[in-house]
């Protein structure tokens, strides 16, 4: 692994991963990103003049774009983060999710096959496993849990995983898949729970909690997801699937209350709103395979990770205020106006 094409590198996890790779390997990195509403080159100002970093504006659905970058930079490895990533947006409209998450993945797999690249890693999600019962805490998602797709987003991600399996099985290609739980940390777009609640609390606005607030998510600090992906790239056999999680389940409402407490704001700012349609009740990941086989473990405990994250949003108000404008305001109105009444 020498020259890595990181697709979706201007988004939340991709930009954190680029910095993680530059800090922890000698590899050259090409960030290949379409710069949708979620892509932001400001996430990468620290590395923009690094000799081992290049940015290419391109679309993973456009094979010519991808081939050009692969040939120009002698790419041997692709790590695919590029996706439409927000469940609520997939409920408002699924088409872009299918185009990018399924069609884009197919394009990358065709390039992998035709160019004979040495490795491909698909960054997938625990959402492909559906939802867990809340009264059976001993049950978690393992790599053997059947695929069950409950939102258009999860259906698009699962379809991409199935294409990866098919290309690996049929053509013997070197394909890996990781399925991670909910990430949090710096540079997360403030449409997702934790940054949205921090931004609302800092802005003195109501914090919209879906349903009864008792849905459970398993939170992992973003840099721990990055170290897991790097461990899989460096140490795994081809063809493996690895779950990645924080062993860190929280009710949404408790996360929201914790954020308010840390920011010194009152719980009266919480507004229970109409639930997300088809809302998955509980996610929890069994990470024993990656821990036992590859020796990965998270470096951050939640108490420290959430502190780092809240402080980052407090100190980087310009970053999130800028992205919460324009198209974001239209989306916010569309997603929340019906829920608030
Ligand atoms: P994000 O929405 O912050 O970033 C997505 C990036 O992909 C953006 O930079 C965007 O510009 C780019 N992109 C979108 N369409 C593109 C296209 N057609 N061509 C090139 N680039 C394109 O997403 P994220 O939260 O950083 O998630 C990254 C990946 O990790 C996704 O595949 C997501 O499914 C997966 N994942 C996310 C989480 C999480 O908690 N956020 C957890 C598990 C897995
Ligand atoms: O599990 C991994 C997945 O986690 C990733 O694959 C997705 O890309 C990522 O977006 C995330 O999906 P979720 O739907 O779990 O994340 P989100 O931050 O949108 O919501 C987390 C929980 O908080 C969920 O139960 C819905 C709830 N929620 C969310 C928002 C935006 C609210 O109660 N209010 C809100 O305003």
């Amino acid at each position: 692994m020498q020259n890595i094409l990181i697709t979706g590198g201007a988004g939340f996890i991709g930009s954190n991963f680029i910095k993680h790779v530059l800090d922890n390997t000698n590899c050259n990195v090409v960030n290949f990103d379409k710069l949708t509403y979620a892509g932001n080159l400001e996430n990468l100002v620290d590395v923009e003049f690094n000799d081992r970093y290049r940015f290419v504006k391109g679309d993973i659905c456009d094979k010519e774009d991808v081939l050009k970058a692969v040939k120009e930079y002698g790419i041997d490895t692709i790590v695919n983060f590029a996706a439409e990533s927000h469940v609520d947006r997939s409920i408002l409209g699924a088409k872009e999710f299918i185009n990018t998450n399924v069609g884009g993945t197919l394009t990358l797999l065709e390039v992998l096959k035709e160019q004979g690249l040495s490795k491909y890693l698909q960054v997938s999600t625990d959402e492909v496993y559906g939802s867990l019962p809340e009264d059976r805490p001993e049950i978690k998602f393992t790599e053997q849990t059947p695929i069950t797709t409950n939102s258009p987003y999860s259906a698009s991600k699962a379809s991409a995983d199935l294409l990866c399996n098919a290309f690996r099985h049929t053509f013997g290609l070197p394909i890996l898949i990781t399925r991670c739980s909910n990430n949090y940390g710096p540079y997360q777009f403030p449409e997702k729970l934790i940054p949205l609640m921090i931004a609302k609390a800092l802005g003195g606005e109501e914090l919209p909690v879906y349903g009864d607030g008792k849905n459970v998510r398993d939170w992992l600090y973003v840099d721990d997801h990055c170290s897991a992906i790097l461990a899989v790239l460096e140490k795994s056999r081809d063809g493996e699937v690895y779950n990645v999680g924080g062993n860190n389940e929280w009710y949404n409402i408790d996360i929201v209350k914790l954020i308010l407490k840390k920011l010194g704001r009152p719980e009266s700012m919480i507004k229970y709103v109409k639930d997300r349609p088809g809302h998955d009740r509980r996610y929890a990941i069994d990470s024993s395979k990656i821990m036992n086989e590859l020796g990965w473990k998270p470096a951050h405990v939640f108490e420290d990770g959430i502190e780092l994250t809240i402080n980052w949003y407090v100190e980087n108000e310009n970053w999130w205020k800028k992205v919460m404008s324009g198209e974001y305001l239209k989306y916010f109105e569309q997603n929340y106006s019906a829920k608030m009444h």
Side-chain angles (χ1 to χ4, degrees):
M1 187 168 78
Q2 190 51 51
N3 298 318
I4 314 179
L5 189 80
I6 298 180
T7 66
F12 164 48
I13 309 174
S15 59
N16 278 285
F17 183 70
I18 286 173
K19 291 177 221 178
H20 189 89
V21 170
L22 292 172
D23 286 347
N24 292 284
T25 75
N26 294 320
C27 296
N28 301 309
V29 165
V30 177
N31 173 11
F32 183 93
D33 199 295
K34 186 181 172 186
L35 299 182
T36 68
Y37 79 92
N40 187 350
L41 289 177
E42 281 186 31
N43 301 1
L44 291 148
V45 281
D46 314 353
V47 299
E48 67 184 335
F49 299 117
N50 187 312
D51 285 346
R52 291 189 289 126
Y53 170 76
R54 292 286 179 278
F55 171 69
V56 172
K57 187 168 189 299
D59 184 343
I60 60 165
C61 301
D62 184 328
K63 197 166 171 182
E64 291 312 307
D65 271 5
V66 179
L67 272 173
K68 189 161 176 280
V70 163
K71 288 179 183 164
E72 187 170 344
Y73 294 101
I75 295 299
D76 49 58
T77 301
I78 296 179
V79 183
N80 181 26
F81 291 90
E84 289 297 327
S85 68
H86 191 35
V87 173
D88 290 320
R89 287 184 190 256
S90 80
I91 294 167
L92 295 173
K95 198 158 197 311
E96 222 26 61
F97 286 73
I98 302 305
N99 289 347
T100 297
N101 301 2
V102 189
T105 299
L106 175 61
T107 307
L108 296 175
L109 292 172
E110 284 173 350
V111 171
L112 173 76
K113 174 169 163 272
E114 287 165 21
Q115 298 298 306
L117 308 186
S118 46
K119 218 174 272 285
Y120 176 95
L121 189 145
Q122 176 73 4
V123 181
S124 185
T125 167
D126 62 356
E127 299 212 9
V128 301
Y129 297 126
S131 185
L132 291 164
E134 55 186 321
D135 56 349
R136 299 282 307 277
E138 75 285 6
I139 303 182
K140 297 185 177 206
F141 297 135
T142 72
E143 290 80 1
Q144 279 70 48
T145 302
I147 301 287
T148 307
T149 57
N150 291 334
S151 70
Y153 166 71
S154 70
S156 69
K157 293 295 290 185
S159 304
D161 285 13
L162 297 179
L163 273 176
C164 288
N165 288 347
F167 270 64
R168 181 179 50 72
H169 183 83
T170 307
F171 305 113
L173 298 180
I175 296 172
L176 297 156
I177 299 178
T178 55
R179 295 186 178 137
C180 191
S181 60
N182 288 62
N183 285 211
Y184 69 99
Y187 302 104
Q188 186 166 30
F189 196 84
E191 63 189 355
K192 308 284 166 57
L193 181 76
I194 289 182
L196 179 69
M197 297 300 150
I198 298 171
K200 292 280 171 196
L202 290 172
E205 291 177 47
E206 289 174 330
L207 281 64
V209 171
Y210 295 166
D212 63 2
K214 289 287 181 68
N215 300 71
V216 173
R217 296 293 183 266
D218 176 357
W219 294 94
L220 182 71
Y221 191 66
V222 61
D223 202 48
D224 289 324
H225 186 188
C226 297
S227 68
I229 292 172
L230 191 56
V232 173
L233 283 169
E234 289 181 335
K235 299 183 194 165
S236 165
R237 288 188 309 273
D238 287 343
E240 295 290 331
V241 177
Y242 289 95
N243 283 355
V244 184
N247 198 21
N248 179 40
E249 291 177 57
W250 283 75
Y251 288 120
N252 292 339
I253 188 64
D254 291 340
I255 295 260
V256 174
K257 286 181 179 170
L258 179 72
I259 290 169
L260 286 169
K261 188 165 170 219
K262 289 204 176 276
L263 289 171
R265 304 295 200 277
E267 289 185 7
S268 56
M269 291 175 79
I270 294 171
K271 183 169 170 69
Y272 288 94
V273 303
K274 208 163 148 214
D275 210 352
R276 171 188 280 175
H279 197 173
D280 283 339
R281 195 63 177 168
R282 173 174 165 248
Y283 300 153
I285 280 269
D286 177 344
S287 307
S288 48
K289 180 178 175 192
I290 188 170
M291 294 176 103
N292 296 336
E293 287 187 9
L294 306 185
W296 172 85
K297 62 176 189 318
H300 296 82
V301 293
F302 187 68
E303 288 64 29
D304 298 343
I306 196 74
E307 189 87 20
L308 282 173
T309 304
I310 293 174
N311 290 343
W312 188 86
Y313 281 89
V314 170
E315 285 159 18
N316 290 277
E317 206 166 291
N318 280 344
W319 181 90
W320 56 263
K321 283 213 162 141
K322 217 191 265 179
V323 296
M324 290 173 98
S325 61
E327 191 275 342
Y328 178 90
L329 294 177
K330 271 190 256 157
Y331 154 73
F332 202 81
E333 167 69 15
Q334 207 184 350
N335 187 50
Y336 289 89
S337 61
K339 287 188 170 68
M340 295 293 237
H341 303 117

